[in-house]
Structures are given as C-alpha cells and as structure tokens.
Amino acid sequence: MPATTTRTRARSRSRTVAAGFLLPALLLLGALVVYPIGYSVRRSLFDRSGASFVGLDNYLALVTDDSLRTAVRNNLIWLVVAPAVATALGLVFAVLTERVRWGTAFKLVVFMPMAISMLAAGIIFRLVYEQDPDRGVANAVWVGVHDTFAESSGFPRARPLPVHPLEAAGGGAFVTKEPVRRGVPVLLPLVGVAPAQMPRDARPAHAPTPASTGITGTAWLDFTRGGGGKPNVVDPKELGLKGLRIEAVRDGKVVATATAAADGSFTLPADRADGAVLRLPASNFREQYDGVEWLGPSLVTPAVIGAYVWMWAGFAMVLIGAGLAAVPRELLEAARVDGANEWQVFRRITVPLLAPVLVVVLVTLMINVLKVFDLVFVIAPGSAQDDANVLALQLYRSSFGTDADLGVGSAIAVVLLLLVLPVMVVNIRRIRRESRR
C-alpha cells in the first residue's frame, strides 16, 4: 500500500476522532448559544404576541421610548466611566503596593469584594447610600464633614404659638412683640421641638427672676408631655432650650448676644439691651443637614457605578500587578539613573510596558458592564430605578412580568450582543497578535 494512501487514511482517522470529541461540545454550543441567538433575532422582528411581523419597529423603540433611551444613555455612561475608573484605580494600587511592606495585606483587602456576589454587594451599598445619616455610612461621613465647617441648627421647625410674646420677623427669625426693659424678666417660649432634637443635657426650665444689673430671661419648650401645662408659664416638667442664640437688636443692629443655658436661662447686659427687642435668629431653626440624596434621580447612576468600581478595582489590581511583576527592573533603574523622576518613569516606561495587560483588563470590564443587572436592580430604589435603568435591567423588565413585550426584550438582547461583538473581536485580534510574537 502506498505511503501516501496510508498518510491520507491516518489523517482522515485523526479528523474523525477529533470530530467525535468535538461533537458533544458543538451540540451544546448550538443548543445553548447559536439557537438562542437565532431565535432572539427572529423574535425581535415580531410584535408583543409574536403573531405579527413588525420589522425593525422594536429596534426603533430603543430610541423613541423614554425609558429605553434612558437605558441606552446610562449604558454608554457605564461603558465609558466604569471600566476606565476601575482600571485606573487598579493600576495605581498595583504600582503603589509594590513600594510598601504591607502591600500583600492591602491587595487582599482590595480584592476581597470579588469574593461576594453582586447581589450581596448591592445590599451592602443600598445600606451605605441610605439617606438617614444614622444608618447610611456615606451620609454619616458627609454630614460629619459638613457639620465640621458649617454650624448646624439646634431646633429645626421650632416656632412660637400666637399667644406667645414672640412674632415672625421674616427669613425664619422671631422677635419679641415688645422691647425688653431693665428689671423685667423675659419669657421666650417655643413649641415644635421633637423629643429626639432636645439637647441630652437639657434641664427643667426655671422662671427668670428680675435683676438690676442685666436683663434676664428663660427660653424653654412650652409643652408638657402628657398635658396639663399652661402657655407662657414655665411648668415643672418643661425643659430649657440649651444653646438657643438670643440677640438684642436696636435700630437694626445687634447690640448684645446671649446663649441659653441648660435650664434655658440667659442674661443680657442692661446698659446695651435695655429698650431693644430680642431676636431669635433663623440660624436656630434651619433644617438640619441630612446629607446627599445618593439614590436620587441625579446621582443614582454614579452611586451604582461606585459600587461596581469597589468590587472590580481589586480584579484590575491583581491582573495589572501580575503584569507589573514581569516588567524588567533594569529598564526602570536605567531611567532613574538617567535622571527621570518617578512620574516620568511611571508615564513613559511602566504604563507603555503594561499596555497589553491594561487592554485586557479594560476590554474584560467593558464586556462585563454591558451585562450589569443585579447591582442596579438592588441598589436603585423603585422611585429612581427608571433613572438608573440600563439595557440588561430593561431586558428583564421587558421580558418578564404582566406587561412583558418579548419583541422589545429580544431586540434589547440583540443590541447587547452587537455591542459586545466589537469588543470581543478587538480582544481576539490582540490575543492572536500577541501569540505571533
């Protein structure tokens, strides 16, 4: 038998064996990938019921329907911002942790969020972004910083009753209806202060006593818990408004100031305050600063992107760190010997040498953000979910539920596939180019 015939039969037998091994994988690929893609493309050309052919109407809905337009816009924001920020942070962390002794521990902490699911991360950040500063970490920090530089109000929503000796002065302030006089005690009663907003060290108020050297008075909460109190009378169970600011005003100018003590008492110098009106400035009654509405319509998308970066910056750091370990150290040292500073070494040597790794990380994250669903679904509250909408979430909302439209859902699935394909093509070409070197 000729040698050529033997080689041909051997080659044919090898191909048959290879096809036999590949057949199960090809069948699974066809059943789980090719068929669903083909069915989705076909279904996207039909209406909600699947009975009438509508052509490209479902795709046109992506640019005409408001909620779908919002999803497309937010996906573009995700595609541009999230991978770039996560990759940049990963690069910075990878470079800096090489220079510290506890770099391994830091890498472990940064990478740890990758060990939890998107659902768990969404629950964590839903609590982090809670509006109430007593529950939400982000607002607790923000309010703490704000209150460090801006004076907070002590008694928001406090006000006098019509029978009280106080009246509104405009701008949120209150003034006494009559000028104060030497030797005549001043009563400054207020209501509307919630028990939780009362100072913890406030003491029972005491009725003021006349003084010849000053104008005395008491500022207190004119409300007796359980009832029984009288207006404009300091009752035994009523508390002083500690910290309330009082100003003596004459001819539009502040001539004296005082701050109420724990029992609400205060004293103003008689030589300056006699004949003036007392004013409770609006700074006493401003609404307390409650922080930023992180999950409101304007900030919900950046807030969710922040949660994503928290999870995936560790992934970028680990891959970039592995690439950094392969960078020739002699190149870095030679640049330093030639007089380059650390920023020049980083920008002109480290980053160009890490370019292939950076591209891998960036492309991987770009593919990943196109599929983000659970973070948005869990973190964004119902009132802001339309503003945080993305294509993957809209795919779920359009494909399931009582108002499902499988035509639009299939169109969104096809669009997501078309968005992923160019990124995958770029990545495959890069891998082939690297393998030829």
Side-chain angles (χ1 to χ4, degrees):
M1 182 180 295
T4 303
T5 304
T6 304
R7 284 196 300 269
T8 301
R9 289 182 177 179
R11 191 179 299 112
S12 177
R13 189 181 304 110
S14 298
R15 289 174 179 174
T16 302
V17 173
F21 278 106
L22 289 175
L23 184 60
L26 292 175
L27 291 175
L28 286 175
L29 185 66
L32 301 179
V33 178
V34 178
Y35 173 75
I37 290 175
Y39 180 81
S40 296
V41 172
R42 178 184 176 279
R43 187 64 180 83
S44 68
L45 303 176
F46 287 81
D47 65 355
R48 181 191 300 265
S49 65
S52 301
F53 181 81
V54 295
L56 299 178
D57 287 355
N58 291 323
Y59 294 93
L60 293 176
L62 296 177
V63 294
T64 56
D65 184 85
D66 289 339
S67 61
L68 295 177
R69 276 208 310 266
T70 301
V72 173
R73 186 191 68 234
N74 287 341
N75 254 107
L76 292 176
I77 295 173
W78 273 88
L79 199 60
V80 172
V81 176
V85 174
T87 304
L89 284 177
L91 175 61
V92 172
F93 291 157
V95 172
L96 293 182
T97 51
E98 278 207 329
R99 298 176 173 273
V100 292
R101 284 184 294 180
W102 40 269
T104 302
F106 180 82
K107 288 181 179 179
L108 178 64
V109 171
V110 174
F111 187 75
M112 195 175 297
M114 286 292 300
I116 64 176
S117 66
M118 286 276 198
L119 177 63
I123 294 173
I124 291 171
F125 274 85
R126 180 66 182 268
L127 297 175
V128 168
Y129 292 135
E130 183 72 39
Q131 179 69 31
D132 185 357
D134 293 331
R135 298 176 60 189
V137 176
N139 263 344
V141 174
W142 191 268
V143 170
V145 173
H146 175 274
D147 290 347
T148 301
F149 299 98
E151 184 179 357
S152 60
S153 167
F155 307 100
R157 299 185 181 180
R159 64 193 185 281
L161 292 174
V163 297
H164 286 160
L166 292 165
E167 62 184 3
F174 300 100
V175 297
T176 53
K177 296 176 182 178
E178 301 292 339
V180 296
R181 297 298 177 186
R182 184 193 303 262
V184 180
V186 182
L187 299 176
L188 300 179
L190 292 172
V191 295
V193 181
Q197 293 170 336
M198 287 294 294
R200 294 183 179 179
D201 53 350
R203 301 205 309 255
H206 291 286
T209 56
S212 58
T213 58
I215 293 176
T216 58
T218 299
W220 83 101
L221 179 62
D222 194 12
F223 174 78
T224 302
R225 299 183 67 177
K230 297 180 180 179
N232 292 330
V233 175
V234 180
D235 297 303
K237 294 183 180 180
E238 295 174 346
L239 299 176
L241 297 175
K242 180 186 177 182
L244 189 75
R245 181 179 174 84
I246 302 105
E247 298 174 343
V249 181
R250 180 184 288 113
D251 299 327
K253 296 181 179 180
V254 178
V255 295
T257 61
T259 302
D263 60 359
S265 61
F266 64 90
T267 302
L268 292 165
D271 57 339
R272 284 181 283 170
D274 188 23
V277 295
L278 298 191
R279 180 174 66 189
L280 305 181
S283 58
N284 290 312
F285 313 112
R286 283 196 307 264
E287 290 287 343
Q288 288 183 334
Y289 182 69
D290 290 330
V292 178
E293 192 178 2
W294 299 104
L295 300 181
S298 58
L299 290 178
V300 63
T301 294
V304 181
I305 290 177
Y308 177 88
V309 171
W310 175 76
M311 287 194 67
W312 287 87
F315 167 81
M317 177 194 66
V318 170
L319 290 189
I320 296 172
L324 191 62
V327 172
R329 300 299 167 182
E330 56 270 17
L331 294 179
L332 305 180
E333 295 302 326
R336 294 187 181 101
V337 170
D338 289 341
N341 56 38
E342 292 301 322
W343 169 247
Q344 290 172 327
V345 171
F346 173 76
R347 184 167 61 92
R348 297 182 180 277
I349 298 178
T350 305
V351 172
L353 290 176
L354 288 176
V357 180
L358 295 177
V359 171
V360 170
V361 174
L362 195 62
V363 169
T364 303
L365 294 180
M366 289 176 70
I367 295 174
N368 185 265
V369 298
L370 289 172
K371 302 181 293 182
V372 167
F373 159 76
D374 26 18
L375 270 184
V376 181
F377 185 75
V378 175
I379 295 178
S383 59
Q385 203 164 87
D386 286 341
D387 300 283
N389 199 13
V390 291
L391 286 175
L393 177 58
Q394 186 60 42
L395 171 61
Y396 168 79
R397 295 168 69 176
S398 297
S399 302
F400 301 97
T402 56
D403 195 33
D405 188 340
L406 292 180
V408 173
S410 299
I412 296 173
V414 173
V415 169
L416 284 174
L417 175 64
L418 294 177
L419 290 174
V420 170
L421 283 178
V423 182
M424 293 181 62
V425 169
V426 170
N427 203 26
I428 292 172
R429 287 183 176 178
R430 186 203 59 77
I431 293 173
R432 288 179 176 175
R433 188 167 54 248
E434 291 291 327
S435 63
R436 294 194 191 104
R437 292 181 180 178

